[in-house]
Amino acid sequence: MKKQFLNLLKSSFLATGMVLCSGSLINVLYAQKNPTADSGKIASNTSIISAKKINPTTIEVLLDNDQKMIFDFYGENIFRIFQDNSGKMMREPESKPEAHILVENPRRPVSKLDMADHNNLITITTGSIKIDLDKKTSLLKVFNQKTNKIVIEETQPFEFKKERVLVTLKENNDEYFYGGGVQNGRFSHKGKSIAIENLSTWTDLGVASPTPFYWSSKGYGFMWYTFKEGNYDFGSKTKGSVSLAHNTGYL
C-alpha cells in the first residue's frame, strides 16, 4: 500500500492552495482585508490586468482591483498561491505555540519558469505543468504537461469574507479524495464533508488529529497553509463541486 501511494504521488501535482505533487506539497495561500469583507459580504477576485515574472521562481498577477496574486514555485510541479489584499508580504502562518507546517528547505530546483500573455489567457509553464488563468474571470486551470490533461479546474473565483476564505474546484465523476488527517470511520471522502478541526473525539465521524491537506485520484494534492479551522466538502452539498474553506483572513 505504501509503495502504491508513493507511486501515485509521483504522478501528481497542484493547482491554488491549489497543492502537492511528486510526494511534495503545493501550497496555496490567499488573503483578503477590505471594507466589503469586513461588512460580512462576499468579495471575490474579478478580472486580471497583467502578469510578470519578478524573480526566477515567482510570477506576480495584477487584478483589476489593484490587488495581487503571487505564484511562487517550490519545484517543477509544486507551487504556492498567495494573496493578501492588505498588502502584507508573503509569510508563514502564525501559530501559538509556535509551529511549522513545512519541512526545512522545502524548495526544489525549477529549471524553467515561463509566462505568456496572449488573447484572453495568462499562461504559466514549467517542464511539468501549465497553468492557464482566464483574464476575464481570473479562473485557473492546471494541466499535466506530459498528458496535456486538466488536473485542477477552478469553477468560481476565490471568495473572501471576514476571517473566511472559500475555494471552489470541479469534482469529476471518476475522481476520489483522501486525507484530512484522522477522520474516524472515513477513508474516501467523495460525496462527503470533513472538518479540519480537532473535535477531540475518537468515535465514528469524530476528528482527533486534522490536517489541512488532501489528495485527489485526479493527480494532485492540496495543502492549505494555515493552522486555522476549516471544512472541505467533496460534493455533499453540490454534486460536481469541491468547496474548501478556512476561518482565516488569507489562505
Side-chain angles (χ1 to χ4, degrees):
M1 177 64 73
K2 181 177 180 182
K3 182 177 180 181
Q4 293 174 338
F5 177 74
L6 291 176
N7 286 337
L8 177 58
L9 288 185
K10 288 179 180 178
S11 66
S12 62
F13 55 119
L14 152 68
T16 148
M18 295 153 172
V19 176
L20 146 73
C21 301
S22 298
S24 302
L25 297 178
I26 298 181
N27 313 308
V28 182
L29 305 168
Y30 306 92
Q32 175 92 5
K33 185 178 181 182
N34 56 36
T36 303
D38 290 342
S39 69
K41 296 180 181 179
I42 292 178
S44 62
N45 285 349
T46 51
S47 60
I48 294 172
I49 301 299
S50 62
K52 62 181 179 180
K53 185 176 180 179
I54 59 176
N55 64 46
T57 63
T58 309
I59 303 294
E60 179 184 85
V61 178
L62 178 64
L63 303 173
D64 67 352
N65 57 5
D66 290 330
Q67 306 299 345
K68 297 177 181 178
M69 282 193 294
I70 303 296
F71 288 77
D72 184 23
F73 283 77
Y74 281 63
E76 296 284 350
N77 58 343
I78 307 167
F79 67 95
R80 169 183 179 180
I81 304 175
F82 178 86
Q83 183 176 335
D84 188 340
N85 295 342
S86 69
K88 294 181 180 179
M89 301 295 290
M90 190 157 52
R91 60 198 180 276
E92 293 186 5
E94 294 182 358
S95 174
K96 296 181 181 179
E98 184 178 352
H100 299 280
I101 294 179
L102 300 186
V103 298
E104 293 184 9
N105 304 317
R107 292 186 181 272
R108 298 181 179 183
V110 181
S111 60
K112 57 179 181 178
L113 174 61
D114 297 317
M115 191 221 74
D117 182 346
H118 51 83
N119 297 326
N120 189 44
L121 286 178
I122 298 291
T123 300
I124 303 171
T125 58
T126 70
S128 297
I129 65 172
K130 179 181 74 168
I131 304 171
D132 279 350
L133 294 166
D134 188 301
K135 294 177 69 175
K136 291 183 179 180
T137 63
S138 76
L139 296 177
L140 66 79
K141 294 180 182 179
V142 180
F143 295 77
N144 182 331
Q145 288 275 62
K146 295 181 180 179
T147 63
N148 200 34
K149 291 183 177 180
I150 298 174
V151 177
I152 300 174
E153 183 174 355
E154 191 181 13
T155 58
Q156 296 182 29
F158 307 128
E159 294 182 352
F160 307 90
K161 289 185 178 181
K162 183 179 180 180
E163 296 303 315
R164 188 166 176 84
V165 183
L166 175 67
V167 174
T168 306
L169 307 176
K170 181 179 179 180
E171 177 209 15
N172 297 277
N173 290 333
D174 58 348
E175 184 176 15
Y176 295 87
F177 308 92
Y178 309 92
V182 179
Q183 301 283 336
N184 295 326
R186 287 158 290 174
F187 171 64
S188 174
H189 304 316
K190 188 176 183 67
K192 301 176 182 178
S193 178
I194 62 174
I196 309 301
E197 174 184 358
N198 187 3
L199 302 177
S200 298
T201 56
W202 289 91
T203 56
D204 189 25
L205 302 184
V207 183
S209 183
T211 302
F213 166 78
Y214 75 89
W215 56 279
S216 162
S217 62
K218 191 69 174 178
Y220 76 93
F222 182 111
M223 188 189 83
W224 199 308
Y225 199 8
T226 184
F227 291 97
K228 300 293 186 178
E229 296 173 353
N231 181 272
Y232 298 168
D233 188 292
F234 301 101
S236 72
K237 294 181 180 178
T238 304
K239 187 176 180 180
S241 180
V242 173
S243 178
L244 313 169
H246 271 275
N247 300 337
T248 176
Y250 70 90
L251 102 82

